[in-house]
Amino acid sequence: MSGMKTRNARTDPVLADLNDPQRRAVMHRDGPLLVLAGPGSGKTRVITRRAAYLVHTGVSARHILAITFTNKAADEMKKRIEVLGVAGGMWVYTFHALGVRLLREFGPLGRVRPGFTIYDEADRKRVIKDALAICKISPELLKPEAAQAKISDAKNRLKRPQAFLESADFFEQRMIGRVYEAYEQLLEQRNAVDFDDLLMRVAIVLRGHPEITERLNKRFRYVLIDEYQDTNHAQYLIARHLSQHHRNICATGDPDQSIYGWRGADIRNILEFERDYPDAVVVRLEQNYRSTGNILKAASKLIRCNRRRKHKDLWTDRGEGEPINVWRFEEGYDEAERIADTIVELHKEGRSYNDFALMYRVNAISRGLEESLRHRGIPYKIARGVEFYNRKEIRDTLAYLRVLVNPTDTVALLRIVNTPTRGIGKTTITRLVEAANDADRPLLEVMRAAASVSALKPAAAARVQKFVELIDQLQAFAGGSVADAVSNTLALSGLEADLRKAEEEGGEDRLANVEELVTAAKRYEDEAEQPTLEDFLQRVALTSDQDAVDESAGVVLLMTLHAAKGLEFPVVFIVGLEEGMLPHERSLYEGDVEEERRLCFVGITRARERLYLSHAEQRLLRGAMLPRCESQFLAELPDEVIAWENFDNESDGESSFGDGFIPLDDHRPQERLQRRSSKSRAKRRREFDDEPTFSPDDPTGRVLRLTSSSPYADWQPGMLVRHETFGVGTLQWIRPGDGQTRASIQFARHGRKTFILELAPVHKLQRGSV
DNA sequence: AGCAAGATGCTTTTT
DNA sequence: GCATCTTGCT
């Protein structure tokens, strides 16, 4: 406290260039603090300055713990704190990396042994399948994805299999409980954890061991948590325990940017922070330093449509800026072309390529955009970091390394036993696995004793033995240099030779990829304090898409809206503002459109100067051309800041465009749509030699469900319906409710109307009945 | 055993 | 459309 008075807000460089609320947040000393930070309000600046201020006023850096969600955010924060000269000893981690670090310390308490493996989604799916097999449950009866989601959910709530089974009342629940139990057993056997474990196990240890919690409280006297709106229950508990004694918890975030509810994030954590900590000081950062007035106005008006939120008055002194462009196209193809043309134009006017970002709801959309960019020679990059680590050759190499660190990692072992092929086929593997199960011994041990596995032919056993020798040989490198371990694995396993051969035969340059892995290992060795193969692998497992975003690469960036959080660009294009896309259809069925609106809000507020929102009337999705309807979010934007433009020049021409008016008559019967698209588009699309066909109610032959019991289960946006008074219209969106299924329908002459389907005289238009 | 073609399934977002 | 699994062939 003594140092505080001596610091002058005018002259202190840590405080000088802050606005009032920012300064209040930075200077807050003890007790809970909630910083509600609107987009572009200088949140990161506040966090880093606060850390610096704490240090400058006498807190040792090693008593501060900062937690973020992505590695990129953690690295960024570390860098910025270093610049302020206070990094020494401070912990800056992601929740998951912190989990790894603490679990290693906890050891048996966290139910892990040294060298434990982190299973990613693909590994996890494999284990779920094995668990289903053990429980003798067919994957058709219980889909692996469904089981996985339920188990993940349970782990977020700290529910172990036993507790899960105790509260399971229905058949399905009990089934999932059994799978969960088997799944946990397999992880235990394999000394592996999944992503959720990294949080759940830490939370359980903290909850059950007050002495450990107390020790950590003494070590970390100030806890800063970024993106608090995205915390799930386990993370919430970790944060709470870690600040339980000193209560010096500083949470920063924005409920309006909570976009991870689907994976367990609970927006209530931030909305109810003040209930959890009644003495909390709340600071609102509402001045935006990023976007123009128009962009901010659009974002504010949109997000106001949400009910569950804390209102903030976002403002800027940057002036109105350009109007926001809302573009309508006949087809997704036109959208991509037009955007690429616009980038070329603006580039000629002097904008750098890295001024631009293209954002979309689902990755599948990126393809068309990429093509249009490529044709014009526009350099671009897709923000997808895991892509590298998901390549087959990389996964193969990593699987070898994983086995070296953790010989019980069966998923990895099964992956490499015959990669590259060495004559160990399916039957041999099945027999080995069976023998391992029967003897209840690790698979590698059984392989080691292959000769004594009676079911195996001597020739097969000999090949297996040779493989085990290879592993033993590689094992020698596991304790030394990480890069050496990688390159020796490549050389001795035969992977390298295999890849070289494939390349000579005209394959792509996959050798370069594995060489890049060696480079990554070298880089890691240079950076890490105590490099080990175990740590390298664990870090790799926690690498995500967001981490790969490099804003200064000099290229146009393509990314999902989720990946865009935390970034900003002078020019932003958000594509596919269509019902079913943004908002995503799943949200329409499950009734959480608010999160989609927040996602849209996040996208809009990434833009500094110019913003383009676009949608198309039809789009190629999953190989089928589907009719699309404009997003309800477009109607929620303030008209006065929007410049509407219609590039659908083949439209029926009943109105002129570019004058702020979007024609409402997109109810065109299917025959006409079909004719139009076949006549004018088929030539442009290489894949579409044949006349594209679709039926409005189910273009792909699959039926999408609301809930299986709903009579409107197969209604989906884009389909045609008939209202007894208003005639034929296009379904815009549909939202289930208890006996009150709401739907919005766009009519030819009557505009858009919302109905309760149970009450309104609306029915599905049968094929051919137009 | 191992490969290639064909069938099937699945596709929101990600630590 | 793509990835994965299955089937059938060598």
Side-chain angles (χ1 to χ4, degrees):
Chain A
M1 284 296 184
S2 58
M4 212 131 72
K5 276 215 171 74
T6 64
R7 302 197 73 88
N8 185 315
R10 288 252 165 72
T11 55
D12 188 336
V14 171
L15 299 172
D17 50 354
L18 300 177
N19 66 32
D20 283 349
Q22 285 176 338
R23 189 174 299 131
R24 243 181 295 136
V26 168
M27 294 179 72
H28 172 87
R29 182 63 183 256
D30 291 335
L33 170 68
L34 173 65
V35 180
L36 290 170
S41 62
K43 181 189 62 169
T44 315
R45 166 181 274 210
V46 165
I47 297 171
T48 51
R49 295 296 179 88
R50 185 172 147 72
Y53 190 77
L54 285 170
V55 173
H56 286 172
T57 53
V59 177
S60 162
R62 62 182 302 279
H63 287 146
I64 303 173
L65 168 67
I67 308 176
T68 64
F69 270 84
T70 64
N71 298 303
K72 189 175 177 245
D75 292 344
E76 171 94 17
M77 196 183 292
K78 259 184 247 163
K79 232 180 272 163
R80 287 175 69 161
I81 289 169
E82 260 163 42
V83 169
L84 296 171
V86 279
M90 186 169 155
W91 273 30
V92 185
Y93 278 113
T94 66
F95 266 108
H96 290 86
L98 178 70
V100 171
R101 180 102 195 221
L102 292 179
L103 280 184
R104 270 193 219 146
E105 268 179 43
F106 296 164
L109 281 181
R111 293 168 34 247
V112 290
R113 302 182 289 282
F116 66 88
T117 305
I118 301 168
Y119 275 3
D120 69 10
E121 289 310 308
D123 302 321
R124 175 193 259 190
K125 196 171 172 187
R126 198 58 262 153
V127 182
I128 295 267
K129 281 183 181 166
D130 292 348
L132 282 169
I134 288 171
C135 300
K136 299 201 170 26
I137 295 169
S138 131
E140 271 141 56
L141 183 62
L142 179 62
K143 284 194 187 140
E145 295 76 24
Q148 190 174 318
K150 286 277 162 56
I151 291 171
S152 177
D153 208 51
K155 289 192 173 186
N156 284 165
R157 301 193 323 267
L158 309 200
K159 249 188 166 171
R160 306 286 300 283
Q162 207 190 344
F164 190 95
L165 276 166
E166 272 160 21
S167 64
D169 31 12
F170 296 108
F171 172 70
E172 200 198 13
Q173 289 286 306
R174 290 220 305 279
M175 198 161 62
I176 292 166
R178 276 170 50 215
V179 174
Y180 185 12
E181 207 169 20
Y183 172 78
E184 287 294 277
Q185 236 162 47
L186 287 173
L187 288 185
E188 169 80 35
Q189 270 174 24
R190 296 167 185 193
N191 192 21
V193 297
D194 62 26
F195 288 137
D196 300 319
D197 285 326
L198 295 174
L199 308 174
M200 174 183 77
R201 297 188 187 202
V202 168
I204 287 177
V205 170
L206 295 179
R207 189 177 62 184
H209 297 269
E211 74 288 356
I212 290 177
T213 301
E214 200 180 327
R215 203 188 73 219
L216 286 168
N217 270 254
K218 278 190 182 136
R219 165 77 208 264
F220 301 113
R221 299 181 196 166
Y222 291 85
V223 178
L224 313 174
I225 298 155
D226 196 15
E227 308 283 14
Y228 195 73
Q229 77 281 353
D230 288 329
T231 48
N232 64 27
H233 187 62
Q235 288 162 329
Y236 165 83
L237 287 177
I238 292 172
R240 218 180 145 83
H241 285 306
L242 287 179
S243 54
Q244 186 183 335
H245 296 286
H246 48 64
R247 295 170 54 77
N248 292 326
I249 179 173
C250 167
T252 63
D254 180 2
D256 290 336
Q257 295 182 63
S258 162
I259 54 176
Y260 286 106
W262 53 274
R263 73 172 199 218
D266 192 345
I267 192 172
R268 280 179 306 182
N269 292 344
I270 192 165
L271 289 177
E272 295 172 8
F273 187 87
E274 294 161 80
R275 207 200 56 193
D276 287 336
Y277 302 95
D279 54 331
V281 170
V282 181
V283 175
R284 288 179 138 76
L285 304 181
E286 297 175 310
Q287 181 174 2
N288 177 298
Y289 296 96
R290 177 187 297 156
S291 307
T292 65
N294 281 342
I295 291 167
L296 216 52
K297 217 178 200 173
S300 303
K301 174 114 189 279
L302 174 76
I303 202 64
R304 234 175 238 259
C305 296
N306 276 1
R307 311 204 125 218
R308 284 182 69 198
R309 64 185 293 263
K310 281 177 189 277
H311 182 70
K312 289 188 294 306
D313 272 313
L314 302 178
W315 63 279
T316 179
D317 57 14
R318 289 196 49 193
E320 281 187 356
E322 305 280 332
I324 289 157
N325 298 283
V326 176
W327 286 351
R328 173 200 197 84
F329 296 97
E330 183 180 2
E331 205 193 291
Y333 175 86
D334 306 317
E335 180 185 52
E337 290 286 293
R338 178 84 200 183
I339 288 172
D341 284 341
T342 306
I343 291 175
V344 169
E345 253 168 60
L346 292 175
H347 180 64
K348 273 188 198 144
E349 287 170 20
R351 279 203 186 269
S352 151
Y353 283 125
N354 60 4
D355 282 359
F356 303 98
L358 274 54
M359 301 174 190
Y360 34 80
R361 178 65 234 261
V362 296
N363 277 120
I365 293 296
S366 72
R367 181 161 320 232
L369 297 168
E370 280 181 74
E371 253 173 57
S372 294
L373 294 175
R374 204 161 343 133
H375 283 150
R376 287 163 186 74
I378 300 169
Y380 69 89
K381 221 178 136 188
I382 303 182
R384 259 187 299 197
V386 283
E387 201 172 68
F388 176 73
Y389 289 105
N390 274 335
R391 290 171 197 275
K392 184 187 178 308
E393 61 274 22
I394 299 294
R395 284 193 81 100
D396 289 343
T397 314
L398 290 172
Y400 274 93
L401 300 169
R402 275 166 54 176
V403 171
L404 302 186
V405 171
N406 176 9
T408 57
D409 183 349
T410 312
V411 175
L413 186 56
L414 288 174
R415 186 182 180 99
I416 58 171
V417 64
N418 198 32
T419 311
T421 53
R422 43 176 77 92
I424 303 175
K426 225 185 341 199
T427 36
T428 309
I429 291 170
T430 315
R431 282 170 188 162
L432 285 165
V433 169
E434 272 166 12
N437 286 345
D438 291 346
D440 195 25
R441 292 178 55 207
L443 183 57
L444 188 64
E445 291 313 304
V446 173
M447 287 179 172
R448 192 178 297 284
S452 57
V453 176
S454 52
L456 241 51
K457 285 190 192 131
R463 287 193 286 260
V464 172
Q465 220 121 42
K466 239 185 131 201
F467 168 71
V468 176
E469 277 162 29
L470 168 66
I471 297 297
D472 288 343
Q473 194 187 355
L474 291 173
Q475 200 85 54
F477 301 104
S481 149
V482 178
D484 286 352
V486 180
S487 49
N488 281 311
T489 295
L490 284 167
L492 298 175
S493 68
L495 277 176
E496 201 171 44
D498 213 45
L499 291 171
R500 186 165 292 131
K501 203 176 78 197
E503 196 196 325
E504 277 159 13
E505 284 160 16
E508 5 160 18
D509 198 2
R510 290 156 75 194
L511 202 57
N513 290 330
V514 293
E515 269 155 16
E516 205 172 309
L517 187 65
V518 180
T519 313
K522 279 201 187 111
R523 211 179 318 127
Y524 160 77
E525 278 183 302
D526 291 342
E527 278 170 21
E529 283 165 33
Q530 289 183 328
T532 64
L533 188 53
E534 174 184 354
D535 186 55
F536 176 66
L537 292 176
Q538 288 172 349
R539 259 165 82 140
V540 165
L542 295 179
T543 303
S544 83
D545 281 7
Q546 327 239 318
D547 303 328
V549 181
D550 179 3
E551 294 133 285
S552 56
V555 302
V556 175
L557 277 178
L558 278 66
M559 67 191 84
T560 65
L561 287 162
H562 283 87
K565 197 176 68 169
L567 305 175
E568 59 175 56
F569 302 90
V571 185
V572 169
F573 296 87
I574 305 178
V575 305
L577 273 121
E578 292 143 29
E579 285 299 303
M581 186 71 101
L582 183 65
H584 192 272
E585 59 189 2
R586 199 155 163 159
S587 75
L588 298 169
Y589 301 144
E590 285 165 12
D592 191 14
V593 176
E594 296 210 347
E595 180 154 312
E596 299 289 309
R597 196 176 279 110
R598 292 194 290 269
L599 199 47
C600 190
F601 174 80
V602 166
I604 289 174
T605 53
R606 299 309 96 193
R608 283 216 290 260
E609 295 159 32
R610 308 206 56 167
L611 176 64
Y612 299 83
L613 309 173
S614 55
H615 67 104
E617 286 173 77
Q618 41 177 335
R619 188 180 292 280
L620 202 53
L621 289 170
R622 285 180 228 148
M625 185 60 75
L626 302 182
R628 316 290 304 162
C629 295
E630 74 179 85
S631 167
Q632 53 185 300
F633 299 154
L634 288 174
E636 294 169 3
L637 299 174
D639 255 325
E640 67 272 20
V641 305
I642 308 285
W644 307 89
E645 259 179 290
N646 191 324
F647 296 103
D648 176 11
N649 48 21
E650 289 184 53
S651 122
D652 293 325
E654 286 166 20
S655 55
S656 57
F657 309 127
D659 57 359
F661 179 70
I662 284 195
L664 295 173
D665 56 335
D666 63 352
H667 68 293
R668 281 173 303 254
Q670 61 179 113
E671 300 92 330
R672 268 161 80 199
L673 250 176
Q674 259 182 19
R675 181 161 40 77
R676 280 158 25 103
S677 45
S678 61
K679 202 160 55 182
S680 57
R681 301 287 154 182
K683 286 175 224 107
R684 295 215 310 233
R685 262 178 278 108
R686 298 164 320 289
E687 299 90 344
F688 269 71
D689 303 320
D690 297 322
E691 189 170 298
T693 55
F694 59 82
S695 81
D697 49 1
D698 189 6
T700 55
R702 277 175 290 261
V703 176
L704 294 153
R705 268 157 274 117
L706 276 162
T707 59
S708 45
S709 59
S710 164
Y712 305 105
D714 58 349
W715 287 43
Q716 63 169 12
M719 66 185 273
L720 297 173
V721 295
R722 184 193 294 282
H723 187 281
E724 277 176 23
T725 359
F726 300 113
V728 174
T730 314
L731 185 62
Q732 299 282 299
W733 50 262
I734 180 162
R735 207 176 305 174
D738 193 12
Q740 296 206 329
T741 310
R742 284 165 205 280
S744 172
I745 298 163
Q746 184 98 41
F747 294 100
R749 277 170 284 282
H750 303 94
R752 183 189 294 189
K753 294 185 190 311
T754 305
F755 303 96
I756 291 170
L757 293 181
E758 280 82 358
L759 304 174
V762 183
H763 36 256
K764 220 165 115 177
L765 208 56
Q766 296 308 317
R767 200 186 292 218
S769 68
V770 181

